[in-house]
Amino acid sequence: MYKVSVIIPVYNVEKYVEACLDSVLSQSYHNYEIICVNDCGQDKSMDIVKTKQSCFPDKIRIIDSKENVGLGGARDKGILYASGDYITFLDSDDYIKEDYIETYTSEA
């Protein structure tokens, strides 16, 4: 069973990030990690991520940036910490269907 790294840049998305994380945490495929890259936002997004991480410490990793590097830079930073056989990106204001990772790995 392949491991999938889901990289999520987080920047000023406090209204959406919990739904985003919940959509990954409810996947039918279970061999994945979530890498949330803190891109130095000014809202409570990372407080929400940290709360979620405390409930799922084996699934969610937080990587901190020293400065805002933008979407591409945050994704690049996440790749450096990814341990999966496959990598997928998810914007923190989006969500995925519960069979996304399962479909993704079976097609790959």
Side-chain angles (χ1 to χ4, degrees), residues 36-51:
C36 292
V37 181
N38 177 5
D39 201 22
C40 302
Q42 303 302 313
D43 67 359
K44 297 183 186 217
S45 297
M46 288 311 300
D47 292 338
I48 295 166
V49 173
K50 288 174 184 175
T51 298

Side-chain angles (χ1 to χ4, degrees), residues 43-98:
D43 67 359
K44 297 183 186 217
S45 297
M46 288 311 300
D47 292 338
I48 295 166
V49 173
K50 288 174 184 175
T51 298
K52 202 54 97 164
Q53 182 195 38
S54 70
C55 297
F56 299 94
D58 295 338
K59 287 290 185 190
I60 300 173
R61 293 177 62 195
I62 297 172
I63 308 302
D64 290 313
S65 290
K66 294 180 181 173
E67 61 184 1
N68 178 265
V69 293
L71 188 59
R75 287 177 175 170
D76 289 344
K77 189 174 217 42
I79 289 170
L80 296 175
Y81 292 89
S83 64
D85 301 299
Y86 294 106
I87 294 172
T88 188
F89 301 106
L90 181 60
D91 291 343
S92 50
D93 60 350
D94 289 335
Y95 58 91
I96 53 177
K97 292 173 63 173
E98 64 188 25

